[in-house]
Amino acid sequence: EKIYIGSNGGLAGRGKMMKSAIGTALALPLVALTACADAPKVEIVSDTVACREPGRYIGWPSAVCLKDGSVLAVFSGNRLEHCCPSGVVQAVRSTDMGRTWSAPLTIGDTPIDDRDAGVVQLPDGEILVSWFTSVAYLQVPTWKAQEKRGMAELSEYFGRWCVRSRDGGRTWTKPEKMTIKGSTPHGP
């Protein structure tokens, strides 16, 4: 799958996951430099690997072209498999339109599975990343047998969460539980 950048500078679509014996990698298309400008069209130049986590599963990326021209991608990383309790929300940044990427930074980590992160930059420049939590891993016998916490304790962490950044994604607030009853998959 390719990421397409619209005329407003926002990215739509998703990256693709590459799975191998050594783990997965988050691959995002490399777009032409004009992609973050107000140009209505974009040229896909090539795909590039934005993050590798050997022995781990990476899922559900979302990316945004920031006002400073950098690209910020968020995803559920550090996963042992599709449904597991170890998923965290991570972010990577590119300042050269996707040719190279920073190391992943964990920006959301509740005691249960954090997944389906989405990202948007608001008109005032603030960056908002949202995601939801899940205990679907309890349907997997091995994970269910290892979970020692009861549903009452786990339910404290069910829901939709967000973090915010006012400095271009260099630092983030602590995760906040949102009170809304719904959200869009892969995005705020």
Side-chain angles (χ1 to χ4, degrees):
E1 242 182 312
K2 300 227 184 277
I3 292 178
Y4 296 96
I5 301 178
S7 59
N8 66 353
L11 288 158
R14 298 196 325 236
K16 62 183 176 181
M17 297 301 105
M18 300 183 303
K19 189 157 176 80
S20 71
I22 60 166
T24 57
L26 173 62
L28 296 173
L30 176 63
V31 296
L33 261 177
T34 58
C36 286
D38 290 330
K41 295 181 182 180
V42 65
E43 176 188 356
I44 303 298
V45 178
S46 67
D47 286 347
T48 184
V49 174
C51 181
R52 288 186 199 278
E53 293 184 338
R56 299 294 181 164
Y57 178 93
I58 298 172
W60 316 290
S62 179
V64 66
C65 185
L66 300 175
K67 291 179 179 187
D68 68 3
S70 63
V71 179
L72 183 71
V74 298
F75 52 91
S76 183
N78 195 42
R79 309 183 68 76
L80 296 170
E81 57 186 323
H82 180 260
C83 286
C84 70
S86 64
V88 299
V89 177
Q90 295 182 304
V92 291
R93 171 190 298 280
S94 175
T95 57
D96 57 10
M97 290 309 300
R99 288 177 183 82
T100 60
W101 293 87
S102 67
L105 173 67
T106 298
I107 59 175
D109 184 9
T110 69
I112 59 177
D113 186 13
D114 300 294
R115 55 195 304 122
D116 287 32
V119 60
V120 66
Q121 186 170 38
L122 303 174
D124 69 358
E126 182 177 44
I127 302 168
L128 173 68
V129 174
S130 68
W131 70 94
F132 71 89
T133 55
S134 172
V135 290
Y137 63 88
L138 292 176
Q139 297 173 14
V140 179
T142 35
W143 294 121
K144 185 174 184 176
Q146 292 177 26
E147 182 60 70
K148 303 301 181 210
R149 298 168 292 186
M151 288 306 284
E153 183 181 347
L154 293 174
S155 68
E156 176 184 340
Y157 302 102
F158 291 154
R160 288 146 192 88
W161 295 80
C162 72
V163 290
R164 299 167 184 269
S165 175
R166 290 206 157 274
D167 60 6
R170 287 159 190 79
T171 61
W172 296 89
T173 62
K174 291 182 181 177
E176 306 170 46
K177 193 169 186 181
M178 299 188 299
T179 58
I180 60 171
K181 299 292 182 196
S183 66
T184 24
H186 310 289

